[in-house]
Structures are given as C-alpha cells and as structure tokens.
Amino acid sequence: MGKTGRDWSQIYAIYGMDDWQTPVFLLLHAIIFSVSSVLFLVYFDWVYYCFQIILPAVFSPGFARFAAGFTGSVTALSAVCLFYAAGNIFYSSVALRWEMAQRMVSAVHDWSTVKTALDVGCGRGILLNTVAMQLKKEGSSGRVVGLDRKNTTLSTLRTAGTEGVQEYVTCREGDARRLPFSDDYFDVVVSAGFVHTVGKEFGQKTAAAAAERMRVIGEVVRVMKGGGVGVVWDLVHVPEYVQRLHELKMEDIRVSERVTAYMVNSHIVSFRKPCQHVVGPSEVRLDWRFNGIC
C-alpha cells in the first residue's frame, strides 16, 4: 500500500506505463550481470587460471587472483545498481507520480474556491485526475483542463472515467511554450514531471533548452489569476525555475525536500501570483476581481 491508501497494483492497472522498455532493458541486464557474478563465484579457480594463461606476462599468480576477484565484485555491484535503477524507474513512472500528485494537491490550501485549474503536460492523467478528485471531494463546481503536446485525449479521458471524475475533466492538445489560454485565466496551475522535457531537442544542458523551459514557466505565470497558486514537480532543473519565479516577482515560493525520481533529484516548487503583478519595467497589472482580499 502507498501512503495515500491506494494499492499500487490498482494505480498501475488504471494508468499503465508510457515506457516499459527502459526498466525491462535494465532488468534484463541486471539478471545477466547477476548470473555472471554467480558464475564468477562458482568457477573462481577456473577464472583465476584463465587470467594466468591468457596474459602470463601481465598477471602474476597473486595479481591474477586479485583481478579475478575484483572483476567478479564489479559484476555483482553492477547487477545491484541495475536492479535498483530498474526498480526506481518502474516506481517513479506511476506509484511515485501518484504520491507526488497527492502532495501537490495538498500545497493548495483551499480548493473550495477553485473554479478553473490547469495541468500542463497531463500525460495519462495521474495529476489531472487527482485534482479532479479533490474538486469533487470539496463539492466544487470547478473544472480542470489537461494540456499535452501529444494527442492523448482518449486515453486520458478513459482514466478519468475509471476514477469517476470525467465530468470535472477537459483535455486539450497544445504547446506549453504557447499556452492556448488568455491571461489571468486559471486559479491553479500544476505540472508534474513535464517541464524538464521541453527543449530537449536542443540538448538538456544547452542554453537554448533552458530558454525553452523558462518560456514554459513564464506561460504558467501568465495564465494564472492574481492570487492564483502554481505547483510544479520536476527533475534536475527546479533551481532554474525558482530563480525565474523570483524574477517574475512571485510570492510564497516554497521548495520541497529532495525526492529521488528516475535516478535523479526532484523537488516540488509552489508559489503564488500576487494580485498586483509587475509585468514590465514600468507596467503594473492589477487584478481587481479579488477586491484586495488576496
């Protein structure tokens, strides 16, 4: 059972996995390395003898024994690392996403007032449906829009139907760098494990890729209402997002503790858009719809 009280097998059955190839590839190699390390142990004397026979000028008897033992140890350690990597990627793909979705939803303190929400990069709908379930739980009349650059509308709506929240969910296809929504539209904007994939065609560590990711963050801020809340869970690049959010004058910026996902560091960053939002050197946009409450 996960921390949210749902059985992980049920979550995997509903949402499946986008990428089975990677964990299966790692698992097969882990098995191969495991078998090899066992063979090294069982036939150690024979391996040691081969080291001596093949390169007698290089391997003295003592060094040959050390080399055989070292090779077997590295093989066993590699198997352990590959098993861990396969398990972490398998866990991160669905179960961890579900757990992080619960944490992201809890970062918004009052869902009863939320009328419009957006999930950027919704994929199969784990976070999207979590938001919808929260709206349903609160008895809200709000709706959540899931946006993805792939045409996954049918599969996403299917999972929403399975979760019993289809009436709260709408899906759209679009580019996160040019969100097809007007300014100040959403009360809440969320995104899970998506922003780091934007601009990857330029190479993850290039300035061009970083600029594309910053465009997404800027778009998220643009479509949020004054007083609205943004919550982003992502890998590796969260410090860049935090810096950009400070530049955009966001408030209540908070970063969670580190969580290992897909074998790298990840964090949740949450923030609030001020009602009085500075959008340029001499331009201030006021959102009077909140009447100064926020």
Side-chain angles (χ1 to χ4, degrees):
M1 297 290 287
K3 294 179 181 179
T4 59
R6 294 193 69 177
D7 188 87
W8 289 353
S9 62
Q10 181 185 16
I11 299 171
Y12 279 97
I14 294 172
Y15 295 101
M17 283 185 64
D18 290 321
D19 179 19
W20 281 100
Q21 291 87 352
T22 300
V24 169
F25 175 83
L26 292 171
L27 184 60
L28 288 175
H29 280 74
I31 293 172
I32 292 171
F33 274 82
S34 297
V35 172
S36 298
S37 63
V38 171
L39 291 176
F40 263 100
L41 180 63
V42 173
Y43 297 103
F44 179 81
D45 289 337
W46 183 81
V47 173
Y48 153 66
Y49 178 73
C50 287
F51 271 87
Q52 278 192 300
I53 295 299
I54 294 171
L55 293 172
V58 177
F59 292 108
S60 63
F63 188 72
R65 185 174 293 275
F66 169 79
F70 179 78
T71 304
S73 299
V74 170
T75 303
L77 183 60
S78 298
V80 172
C81 292
L82 287 166
F83 273 120
Y84 175 77
N88 184 259
I89 291 175
F90 180 77
Y91 169 68
S92 300
S93 297
V94 181
L96 180 60
R97 278 181 175 269
W98 176 263
E99 291 187 10
M100 298 305 284
Q102 312 308 307
R103 294 178 57 180
M104 293 174 71
V105 165
S106 67
V108 180
H109 301 300
D110 186 6
W111 282 96
S112 63
T113 60
V114 174
K115 301 300 181 185
T116 52
L118 171 66
D119 179 7
V120 180
C122 63
R124 292 178 179 263
I126 293 178
L127 176 57
L128 180 73
N129 292 337
T130 302
V131 171
M133 284 187 275
Q134 187 65 32
L135 292 172
K136 183 177 182 179
K137 177 181 177 182
E138 295 289 340
S140 171
S141 60
R143 296 292 183 272
V144 55
V145 179
L147 181 132
D148 203 275
R149 57 193 169 194
K150 302 175 183 177
N151 188 13
T152 58
T153 299
L154 291 179
S155 61
T156 304
L157 291 177
R158 190 179 301 116
T159 62
T162 303
E163 296 283 20
V165 292
Q166 62 271 25
E167 69 272 20
Y168 291 88
V169 171
T170 303
C171 294
R172 289 192 62 173
E173 185 177 355
D175 189 345
R177 292 166 286 194
R178 292 176 291 275
L179 292 176
F181 307 103
S182 59
D183 296 356
D184 308 313
Y185 190 85
F186 293 99
D187 298 307
V188 173
V189 180
V190 297
S191 181
F194 170 76
V195 181
H196 74 280
T197 67
V198 177
K200 63 181 181 181
E201 64 271 19
F202 300 108
Q204 289 286 355
K205 297 183 179 181
T206 64
E212 295 298 288
R213 293 191 293 269
M214 294 308 101
R215 287 181 63 184
V216 176
I217 299 301
E219 282 290 278
V220 167
V221 170
R222 179 184 66 79
V223 301
M224 284 173 55
K225 294 177 181 178
V229 177
V231 188
V232 176
W233 171 53
D234 207 34
L235 317 178
V236 181
H237 303 292
V238 170
E240 298 176 11
Y241 310 158
V242 173
Q243 180 179 348
R244 181 58 179 153
L245 291 170
H246 280 294
E247 292 171 355
L248 293 170
K249 310 300 182 184
M250 295 298 102
E251 298 178 346
D252 297 333
I253 300 173
R254 301 181 182 182
V255 181
S256 73
E257 72 278 8
R258 176 182 60 83
V259 176
T260 301
Y262 301 99
M263 300 297 293
V264 297
N265 291 340
S266 74
H267 299 270
I268 295 174
V269 56
S270 61
F271 58 95
R272 184 172 64 87
K273 183 176 180 178
C275 295
Q276 178 175 296
H277 183 217
V278 180
V279 294
S282 59
E283 180 184 359
V284 176
R285 180 179 296 149
L286 297 175
D287 194 332
W288 298 106
R289 287 168 292 185
F290 288 85
N291 297 318
I293 294 176
C294 62

